[in-house]
């Protein structure tokens, strides 16, 4: 219940801040000769801009704000709402052109006044940002390059837009209007200081170090971490953290990894990393004693957020890491509830934590169903991918099916297929919790 009210509170804060520019339009005196359409276009533009400013707050990873929802939901909201905000901002010039088509001449940057040039520059920065975000993979833009350009384009879009507003000089002349704009601008600067200075300084004060590196099946390595100051990482099983390795806490490069260890052993948290790209392929070269900076824990993908008489975990490949943390923690609590793990992998040799999962069956009321894409000779288990038929065969029957909470984590195509399959066998969406390893 506390989580529900905290959620409602933060949604309220978001609405107040995003709609606050409307006060300027509604309370301020309308300049003479301005049509309703132009006023409406200004309102859309200002609200869209406020929403863009709030995008920085959404990605600042304030633990109080993210806790009620889970940062994954916040980041998803960040993505979806950005398209809405861009739509509002685009409506600003469109309505002006509908009101007076001669204003289309403002699109020519050579003859246009600076107020229009800045508006156009802001819009172009924004549209470039959207194109790079939506089609990053198709355009083969490296994640780190995308991340830096994303921040730069967002700051540029807001700076150009503010310049545009100042030069247009409507709703910025009265002292109270200037105070409102100053408040919002200072807020943005404070956010930037918090993200770029305060957080790294806090991380620098609490470094961790690699205590052990263990090779796992499936091209994966587990890094066991130790807090240098002996303070435990207070995480819930299934949560993740952003990790900085071989860089200063002020460095730009950081990667998110789920904790794979038991939350009952918070003094020695571990992450398990599968080699998939430049950074993750370097894990075998990590030396014990290497410094690690950690920003977390984050995420709502945890069985501990749900009261249920049993859980079903459906994972593929390295998606097993947050599930492993949940299983290990449940085992450490001697939890007697029935658990089902449906675990897909390309081959039997690549099944990460295969032996330990077998051992966990001794300690937990755990049923494991392995699904292999390429099964070895004599394999009597499931083959192929997770399908509604496989789910129908292994999920609890009758009422019990609807009394479980379902946790799904794996490669994106597998997650899409599993979500569809779960819905096909009648599992309501509210019982299904997912963790996607692709943030963008
Ligand atoms: C919540 C969450 C938990 C995760 N947990 C695990 C885990 O337990 N074990 C594991 O092996 N992997 C995990 N991942 C995935 C892991 O973060 C990426 O595989 C890794 O960052 C890829 O980096 P790379 O340079 O090796 O690969 P690249 O080839 O550079 O990137 C491959 C893909 O990974 C993503 N990616 C790359 N860099 C980053 C970054 N800095 N931040 C976010 N995403 C990035 C992009 O979608 C990119 O297209 C998790 C991801 C998320 C979002």
């Amino acid at each position: 219940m506390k989580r529900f009210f905290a959620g409602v509170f933060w949604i309220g804060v978001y609405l107040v801040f995003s709609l606050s520019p409307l006060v300027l339009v509604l309370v301020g005196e309308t300049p003479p000769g301005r049509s309703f359409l132009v006023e409406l276009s200004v309102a859309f533009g200002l609200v869209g801009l406020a929403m863009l400013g709030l995008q920085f707050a959404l990605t600042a990873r304030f633990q109080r704000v993210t806790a009620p929802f889970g940062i994954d939901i916040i980041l998803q909201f960040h993505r979806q709402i950005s398209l809405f905000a861009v739509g509002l901002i685009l409506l600003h010039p469109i309505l002006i052109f509908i009101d007076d088509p001669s204003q289309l001449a403002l699109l020519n940057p050579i003859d246009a006044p600076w107020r229009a040039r800045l508006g156009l520059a802001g819009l172009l920065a924004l549209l470039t940002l959207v194109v790079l975000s939506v089609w990053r993979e198709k355009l083969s833009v490296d994640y780190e390059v995308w991340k830096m350009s994303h921040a730069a384009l967002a700051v540029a879009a807001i700076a150009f837009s503010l310049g545009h507003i100042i030069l247009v000089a409507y709703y910025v002349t009265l002292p109270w209007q200037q105070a409102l704009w100053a408040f919002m601008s200072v807020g943005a600067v404070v956010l930037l200081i918090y993200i770029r200075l305060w957080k790294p300084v806090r991380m620098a004060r609490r470094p961790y170090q690699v205590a052990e590196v263990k090779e796992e099946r499936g091209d994966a390595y587990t890094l066991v971490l130790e807090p240098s100051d002996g303070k435990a990482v207070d995480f819930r099983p299934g949560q993740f953290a952003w990790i900085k390795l071989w860089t200063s806490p002020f460095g730009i490069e950081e990667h998110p990894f789920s904790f794979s260890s038991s939350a009952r052993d918070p003094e020695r948290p571990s992450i398990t990393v599968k080699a998939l790209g430049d950074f993750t392929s370097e894990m075998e070269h990590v030396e014990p004693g290497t410094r690690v900076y950690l920003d977390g824990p984050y995420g709502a993908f945890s069985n501990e957020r749900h009261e249920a008489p049993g859980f079903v975990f459906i994972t593929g490949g390295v998606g097993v890491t947050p599930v492993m943390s949940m299983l290990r923690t449940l085992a450490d609590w001697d939890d007697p509830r029935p658990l089902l793990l449906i675990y897909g992998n390309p081959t039997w040799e690549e099944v990460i934590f295969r032996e330990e999962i077998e051992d966990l069956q001794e300690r937990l009321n755990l049923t494991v169903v392995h699904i292999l894409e390429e099964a070895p000779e004599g394999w009597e288990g499931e083959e192929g991918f997770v399908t509604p038929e496989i789910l129908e065969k292994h999920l609890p029957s009758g009422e019990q099916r609807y009394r479980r909470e379902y946790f799904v984590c794996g490669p994106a195509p597998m997650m899409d297929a599993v979500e569809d399959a779960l819905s096909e066998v009648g599992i309501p969406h509210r019982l299904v919790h997912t963790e996607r390893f692709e943030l963008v």
Side-chain angles (χ1 to χ4, degrees), residues 136 143-144 254-256 258 272-274 277 279-280 321 437:
R136 181 185 70 84
Y143 185 87
E144 257 66 45
E254 55 180 354
H255 294 261
S258 306
T272 302
V273 180
K274 185 175 172 73
F279 178 81
T280 45
T321 52
F437 280 4

Side-chain angles (χ1 to χ4, degrees), residues 11-21:
I11 290 171
V13 170
Y14 183 85
L15 285 175
V16 166
F17 275 93
S18 52
L19 297 179
S20 61

Side-chain angles (χ1 to χ4, degrees), residues 158-205:
I158 290 190
F160 287 139
S161 306
L162 285 175
H164 167 75
I165 289 168
I166 290 168
L167 292 184
V168 170
Y170 291 139
Y171 304 123
V172 290
T173 44
L174 299 176
W176 71 267
Q177 292 171 337
Q178 286 172 345
L180 192 66
W181 284 109
F183 174 74
M184 290 197 278
S185 307
V186 169
V189 173
V190 168
L191 263 183
L192 220 59
I193 293 173
Y194 172 78
I195 298 167
R196 288 274 150 249
L197 278 176
W198 173 247
K199 277 198 132 190
V201 165
R202 239 182 24 191
M203 273 192 245
R205 282 214 202 119

Side-chain angles (χ1 to χ4, degrees), residues 26 78-79 154 167 181 184 195 214 255 340 354 364 439:
L26 294 174
H78 169 84
R79 281 193 292 270
L167 292 184
W181 284 109
M184 290 197 278
I195 298 167
K214 292 190 231 168
H255 294 261
L340 170 64
R354 192 176 94 191
L364 288 164
L439 287 179

